[in-house]
Amino acid sequence: MKVLITGSAGFIGNHVTRFCIEQGDDVRAMVMPGEDQSPLDGLDLEIIEGDLLNKKTLEKCVKGVEGIYHLAGLFSIWTKDPDLHLKVNVEGTNHLMKVAMESGIKKVVYTSSIAAFGVPDKGELLNEETLFKGWECAGAYVMSKFVSHNLVKAMVVDGLPATIVCPGFPFGPGDRSPTPTGSLIVSILKGKMRNYFEGGISAVDVRDVARGHLLAMEKGKIGETYLLANKDGNISQREFARLVGDIAEIPDVAVKEISPAVMKTVAKILEAWSFFSGRPPLTTIRNSLYALREVYSDPTKAIEELGLPQTPIEIAVKDSIDWFRDNGYV
């Protein structure tokens, strides 16, 4: 089918783009004005500029396509403009979904996030029916994904043919930015991860996440949400850091615990200083509160209904390490 992919130069989006081309789709890749297009070099596709905040530019992007993968979004722990996450992730999604409905698109796969569910209670796993929890640790990004997720669900009632996918914490090759998750691995490779803290993540291979998008386009039910994660990927921050260290053969990883009290205090200082310096802090108070929680998930629905692949986390980590090393990040 002819598909439009937003965020095609991004970490997950680039893998989605390549898999779509592999399966024979006619791909139109939307990039933001001025965005680095090098991840798309050499690919057999059409590149078009579009701005999520300018609905008019989206009309030409959508014209003539049958399906849309909407992955473009802002993923950052801090921005100078406190409303930027809402502008890009909520208003931008609203613009694109309205254009999609007006043009008669057959199917939309919208990329939400595990963050749209907040955080589970201790000992629980997030699933597609989890009501949002963790207001106290919901920063701008988390809130923007919560709102945009529910915006798309509401638009389905009005006729939007959308399926929603929620990736866990993806790792693997091609993390050019790198994302906050990839930055964790880079820090370990640089020997800067002797400390660890409470909390845990739902780790998943980025290529499984990308495959999950294509499976959602093929098999996903309209109005349904699917958590794209790994059933064996629920792992504590300490265990994950040591896994990276073992695979990368980096000694003395995660040997000293940082208490929650210290993390919160440091986060407050860093965040306060960022307002004076204008530079992004290493963390914020809400980001730290989120990181201190065990954000574990249950991907059973995506496995059973979509056939979501379950690549061992060790493979994702090794391939991520190799990619960062081969591309000069360490």
Side-chain angles (χ1 to χ4, degrees), residues 214-229:
L214 274 67
L215 290 165
M217 181 67 78
E218 177 189 355
K219 304 178 182 180
K221 298 175 183 176
I222 301 300
E224 291 293 317
T225 298
Y226 298 91
L227 268 167
L228 305 183

Side-chain angles (χ1 to χ4, degrees), residues 164-182:
I164 302 173
V165 293
C166 298
F169 295 78
F171 295 90
D175 192 357
R176 291 174 174 80
S177 297
T179 61
T181 46

Side-chain angles (χ1 to χ4, degrees), residues 269-330:
I269 295 172
L270 292 173
E271 188 170 3
W273 176 246
S274 69
F275 285 103
F276 292 99
S277 67
R279 298 176 181 176
L282 292 175
T283 187
T284 65
I285 182 61
R286 289 184 182 270
N287 180 67
S288 293
L289 289 173
Y290 186 88
L292 286 165
R293 301 291 290 270
E294 293 179 344
V295 187
Y296 297 156
S297 66
D298 176 9
T300 299
K301 181 179 178 181
I303 294 171
E304 293 182 351
E305 295 189 16
L306 301 182
L308 180 69
Q310 297 288 283
T311 300
I313 298 304
E314 293 80 4
I315 293 177
V317 170
K318 183 181 185 306
D319 290 351
S320 182
I321 290 169
D322 291 344
W323 190 87
F324 282 129
R325 283 176 165 168
D326 292 344
N327 287 274
Y329 286 78
V330 291

Side-chain angles (χ1 to χ4, degrees), residues 2-199:
K2 186 173 183 64
V3 297
L4 172 70
I5 304 176
T6 73
S8 54
F11 183 33
I12 300 174
N14 197 240
H15 286 282
V16 171
T17 299
R18 292 169 184 273
F19 287 151
C20 282
I21 293 172
E22 285 180 11
Q23 75 174 13
D25 288 333
D26 182 359
V27 175
R28 177 181 293 167
M30 190 187 97
V31 297
M32 296 288 284
E35 182 180 0
D36 177 17
Q37 300 179 18
S38 61
L40 305 175
D41 289 349
L43 298 181
D44 183 15
L45 47 69
E46 172 193 359
I47 296 178
I48 189 169
E49 282 196 352
D51 185 346
L52 290 173
L53 302 184
N54 185 337
K55 187 179 175 184
K56 278 292 182 183
T57 68
L58 300 177
E59 293 173 355
K60 64 177 182 179
C61 294
V62 170
K63 185 177 180 180
V65 303
E66 301 168 89
I68 297 176
Y69 292 95
H70 179 37
L71 296 103
L74 177 61
F75 181 25
S76 175
I77 64 169
W78 184 88
T79 58
K80 289 184 180 180
D81 179 356
D83 296 325
L84 191 58
H85 279 96
L86 291 176
K87 290 174 183 176
V88 176
N89 296 342
V90 179
E91 292 180 24
T93 295
N94 184 45
H95 290 159
L96 183 61
M97 296 303 104
K98 284 186 175 179
V99 171
M101 291 175 67
E102 292 166 1
S103 65
I105 288 293
K106 292 181 179 179
K107 183 79 173 284
V108 173
V109 172
Y110 169 64
T111 308
S112 180
S113 168
I114 191 174
F117 298 103
V119 294
D121 291 330
K122 186 75 173 179
E124 292 186 354
L125 302 178
L126 294 172
N127 62 40
E128 292 81 359
E129 305 303 319
T130 300
L131 296 178
F132 188 86
K133 300 176 183 178
W135 298 98
E136 74 283 356
C137 59
Y141 171 73
V142 173
M143 286 308 304
S144 72
K145 298 308 289 187
F146 167 69
V147 175
S148 57
H149 179 106
N150 286 283
L151 169 70
V152 173
K153 287 184 67 175
M155 296 181 82
V156 169
V157 177
D158 294 328
L160 178 69
T163 296
I164 302 173
V165 293
C166 298
F169 295 78
F171 295 90
D175 192 357
R176 291 174 174 80
S177 297
T179 61
T181 46
S183 295
L184 176 63
I185 290 182
V186 173
S187 293
I188 294 171
L189 296 179
K190 290 182 176 180
K192 298 180 179 180
M193 198 72 176
R194 289 179 56 84
N195 302 323
Y196 70 93
F197 48 88
E198 292 181 0

